[in-house]
């Protein structure tokens, strides 16, 4: 499922969704070659700064929203939106990654009619309907967005408890509470995203995309500018090289790179191998190639060393849109603003006061 989702996304090359270059396999390993984004992830940024400014929160929320709406338009339910899965690119814009828990429905038609029941996700960002084991749909992703925006403003998720059982109870039963860190417009927006009845949640329903992007929280924002990354991010990572690792948590950097261990090669029967027919993929729009041949270059017969690319080779059709993809709001006519000499938007956000530092 993850491979199929990534190949779907590779064909559209959305600015806020990770891009797959290659998928291939050996006799007992599966490989995905993805973009490397040097800015680290949002979880590391929250650990470093604790909270973000109103302008930073708003731009991140807008970019995440466009990524989610693109996924939903393709019939993809994300299910694991969390700070660890929100990367920062070298230019400071966000990229959503990790679709290992995602579900792709056969068709994107009648989006709110597509439902599943699998209990999965990350504890702090689970929607009430998942915890109640009810059938759920794309509304769970908007709940996760509301939880993350709350965390960006306050420094902690809204219903957080160290004991998962108590946190789950709070998600399902407790009222949403706000500190003075939240201005009225931000409070109203988050309340809309964190409505416990999923049918009432902001972003859902036939007019959901229009209503959520028209919320006063995004007033003055040109959605075409957001999509084309013409709004200068407040934070841009300081990078020393193409392979700079300084923006990643040290816990990851000290880990030894290794392939997943193969406990018993005998389990990879012909029937198991058939499941992965068609797994291999080459993105024709990728601008790099590399050898899939391992072993001694002096071997007379390299056939045994080649990682084979058998099966269906689905290729990217190389779609590059000059307009905001799938927009039902005319971006250039909605809250138009001016731009500076470098082409960045100069629209002033509706929030001007600094948030007080949250103390624990």
């Amino acid at each position: 499922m993850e491979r199929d989702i990534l190949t779907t996304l590779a064909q559209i090359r959305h600015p806020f969704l990770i891009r797959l270059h290659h998928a291939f396999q050996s006799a007992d390993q599966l490989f995905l070659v993805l973009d490397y984004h040097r800015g680290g992830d949002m979880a590391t940024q929250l650990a470093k700064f604790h909270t973000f400014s109103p302008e930073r929160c708003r731009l991140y929320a807008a970019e995440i929203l466009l990524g989610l709406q693109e996924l939903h338009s393709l019939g993809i339910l994300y299910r694991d939106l969390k700070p660890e899965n929100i990367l920062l690119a070298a230019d400071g814009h966000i990229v959503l990654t990790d679709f290992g828990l995602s579900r792709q429905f056969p068709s994107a038609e009648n989006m709110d009619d597509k439902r599943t029941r699998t209990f999965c996700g990350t504890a702090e960002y689970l929607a009430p309907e998942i915890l109640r084991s009810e059938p759920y749909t794309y509304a769970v992703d908007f709940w996760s967005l509301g939880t993350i925006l709350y965390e960006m403003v306050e420094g902690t998720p809204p219903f957080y408890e160290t004991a998962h059982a108590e946190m789950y109870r709070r998600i399902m039963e407790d009222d949403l509470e706000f500190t003075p860190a939240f201005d009225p417009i931000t409070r109203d927006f988050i309340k809309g995203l964190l409505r416990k009845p999923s049918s009432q949640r902001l972003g859902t329903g036939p007019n959901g995309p229009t209503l959520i992007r028209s919320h006063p929280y995004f007033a003055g924002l040109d959605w075409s500018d957001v999509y084309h990354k013409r709004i200068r991010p407040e934070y841009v990572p300081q990078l020393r090289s193409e392979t700079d690792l300084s923006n990643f948590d040290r816990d990851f950097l000290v880990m030894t790179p290794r392939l997943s261990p193969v406990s018993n090669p005998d389990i990879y029967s012909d029937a198991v191998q058939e499941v992965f027919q068609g797994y291999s993929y080459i993105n024709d729009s990728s601008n790099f190639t590399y050898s899939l041949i391992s072993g001694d270059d002096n071997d007379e017969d390299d056939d045994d060393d080649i990682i084979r690319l058998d099966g269906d080779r689905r290729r990217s059709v190389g779609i590059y849109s000059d307009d905001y993809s799938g927009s039902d709001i005319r971006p250039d006519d909605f809250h138009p603003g001016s731009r500076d000499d470098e082409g960045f938007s100069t629209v002033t956000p509706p929030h001007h006061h600094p948030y007080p530092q949250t103390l624990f």
Side-chain angles (χ1 to χ4, degrees), residues 42-78:
M42 183 181 288
T44 303
Q45 289 291 300
L46 284 168
K48 180 178 180 180
F49 295 105
H50 187 60
T51 60
F52 299 153
S53 71
E55 292 77 14
R56 192 175 179 186
C57 290
R58 189 176 76 132
L59 181 59
Y60 286 168
E63 293 181 347
I64 294 169
L65 177 59
L66 292 190
L68 286 180
Q69 291 186 335
E70 188 72 20
L71 291 174
H72 295 172
S73 72
L74 296 168
I76 298 168
L77 176 60
Y78 194 0

Side-chain angles (χ1 to χ4, degrees), residues 117 119 126-136 143 168-174 195-198 201:
R117 304 184 69 108
F119 185 96
L126 291 174
E129 57 266 34
I130 296 179
L131 297 174
R132 296 192 188 102
S133 299
E134 298 171 352
Y136 60 85
W143 176 279
Y168 293 161
R169 185 202 65 77
R170 292 196 63 199
I171 291 173
M172 291 186 289
E173 300 176 6
D174 283 7
R195 288 173 181 154
K196 296 187 191 298
S198 60
R201 204 165 293 156

Side-chain angles (χ1 to χ4, degrees), residues 297-357:
D297 291 339
N298 294 323
D299 288 349
E300 292 182 3
D301 184 0
D302 284 333
D303 286 348
D304 293 335
D305 297 322
I306 296 176
I307 299 177
R308 300 186 181 277
L309 296 173
D310 298 331
D312 175 28
R313 289 191 179 189
R314 300 185 184 181
R315 298 182 178 272
S316 167
V317 296
I319 299 175
Y320 301 93
S321 174
D322 290 329
D323 301 312
Y324 167 51
S325 176
S327 174
D328 43 26
I329 298 175
R330 294 184 61 83
D332 292 316
D333 297 334
F334 192 74
H335 297 308
S338 59
R339 298 184 176 91
D340 61 20
D341 293 339
E342 297 181 63
F344 291 102
S345 174
T346 58
V347 173
T348 302
H351 315 299
H352 301 286
H353 64 280
Y355 288 149
Q357 179 70 30

